[in-house]
């Protein structure tokens, strides 16, 4: 049956090409939608990765990043002296969003006690120095997006709101690059951040590394300070879901629409194929070909066309996604360097298989209903 299917492809090149192009477009559209969601979710997990294993003590009603929180430094000192807190790995921190260099991007100024930088940046890789200890007041460690926005390199000087800072380290990209994340941060000494922002004696949060169980520490601190919020790693998924819930619904609606249109297009093309081959199918039935084999023939054709289009679409996904990045303002894009996650590839192949199967069912059923006698009379 497969050899008959391939012969039909050669005989009807236009129809075959139309089917394959339809599947390629379907794969590119659905694949791009899924990639955008995947990158957003992966990026947000990277952005919120600094919360893992930590507790953020904040003003009630705030979340991450805690830029909307203001607490007294004395309360922060009190908290650091509690038994639940590992003082050597915990720190007071000040988070202040500031206008970026191009008046469109925002940057997060993060004041940290020198020597406690790891409480915020965790395992982020840093080119240059990863500690402010022994450095001047204007020394900063910056995120990857901040480095791009200010065209900064290690050792260079950047100007932020009229203040000059010496870049001693640049963190490699860890998140989505969305505003107000670790990638958009400028880390400096807490005292200097308080000075330039005129917030002496104030901090946004205390980043806590618990001495024991993180759940026990959270419960204990929440009981001791009921009027404050303890943001923990278990709140991370809720933050991700809150940020992406509406986007997921919209993207899934688009994917569903594309899927339905693709099934209908291939179904119409396959029904045209069955109609054009009425006499051929009737001849096959007259010489004893069973209905099951006729059914299999049409579904095989539909599946083969879908899989060919699917493979081509997957190969084109990387340059297409990179092109989308260029259109959205990305620079220095390598069109062949982006690796499609295996989960996305598997998902696309499953979708292509379903499209090929479902779009061939009705045409295949119609083919099995063709009467050999009527088909032989068909012109």
């Amino acid at each position: 049956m497969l050899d008959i299917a391939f012969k039909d492809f050669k005989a009807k090149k236009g129809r075959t090409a139309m089917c394959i192009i339809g599947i390629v477009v379907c794969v590119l559209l659905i694949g791009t939608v899924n990639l955008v969601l995947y990158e957003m979710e992966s990026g947000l997990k990277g952005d919120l990765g600094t919360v893992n294993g930590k507790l953020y003590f904040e003003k009630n009603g705030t979340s991450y990043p805690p830029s909307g929180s203001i607490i007294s430094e004395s309360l922060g000192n009190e908290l650091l002296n509690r038994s639940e807190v590992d003082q050597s790995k915990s720190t007071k921190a000040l988070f202040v969003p500031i206008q970026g260099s191009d008046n469109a991007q925002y940057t997060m100024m993060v004041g940290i006690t020198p020597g406690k930088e790891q409480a915020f940046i965790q395992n982020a890789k840093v080119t240059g120095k990863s500690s402010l200890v022994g450095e001047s007041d204007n020394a900063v460690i910056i995120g990857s997006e901040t480095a791009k926005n200010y065209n900064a390199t290690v050792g260079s000087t950047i100007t932020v709101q009229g203040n000059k800072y010496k870049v001693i380290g640049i963190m490699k990209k860890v998140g989505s690059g969305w505003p107000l994340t670790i990638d958009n941060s400028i880390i400096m000494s807490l005292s200097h951040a308080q000075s330039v922002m005129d917030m002496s004696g104030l901090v946004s949060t205390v980043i806590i590394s618990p001495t024991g169980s993180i759940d026990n520490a959270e419960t204990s601190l929440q009981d001791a300070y009921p009027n404050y919020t303890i943001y923990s790693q278990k709140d991370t998924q809720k933050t991700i879901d809150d940020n992406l819930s509406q986007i997921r619904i919209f993207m899934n609606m688009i994917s569903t629409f594309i899927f339905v249109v693709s099934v209908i297009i291939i179904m119409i093309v396959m029904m045209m194929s069955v109609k054009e081959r009425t006499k051929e199918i009737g001849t096959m039935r007259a010489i004893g070909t069973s209905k099951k084999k006729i059914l299999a023939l049409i579904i095989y054709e539909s599946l083969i066309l879908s899989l060919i289009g699917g493979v081509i679409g997957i190969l084109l996904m990387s340059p297409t996604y990179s092109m989308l990045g260029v259109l959205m303002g990305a620079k220095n894009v390598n069109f062949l360097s982006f690796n499609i996650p295996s989960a996305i590839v598997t998902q696309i192949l499953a979708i292509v298989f379903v499209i090929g199967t479902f779009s061939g069912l009705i045409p295949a059923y119609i083919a099995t209903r063709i009467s050999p006698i009527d088909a032989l009379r068909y012109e």
Side-chain angles (χ1 to χ4, degrees), residues 45 114 150 159 195-196 264 307 322 348:
K45 286 180 179 179
Y150 288 90
T159 301
S195 175
V196 297
I264 292 173
L307 290 174
S322 298
I348 293 298

Side-chain angles (χ1 to χ4, degrees), residues 9 16 19-20 23 270 300-309:
F9 295 157
T16 300
C19 262
I20 292 175
I23 291 295
M270 295 307 299
Y300 282 161
E301 288 189 16
S302 178
L303 277 174
I304 292 169
L305 289 173
S306 297
L307 290 174
I308 292 173

Side-chain angles (χ1 to χ4, degrees), residues 176-194:
S176 63
W178 286 13
L180 311 185
T181 67
I182 188 171
D183 290 327
N184 294 76
S185 64
I186 299 179
I187 302 173
M188 61 185 68
S189 68
L190 176 59
S191 59
H192 187 69
Q194 290 172 324

Side-chain angles (χ1 to χ4, degrees), residues 18-40:
M18 187 168 67
C19 262
I20 292 175
I21 291 172
I23 291 295
V24 170
V25 173
C26 166
V27 168
L28 289 178
L29 291 174
I30 294 180
T32 300
V33 167
N34 288 338
L35 277 174
V36 169
L37 277 174
Y38 180 88
E39 289 292 298
M40 283 183 177

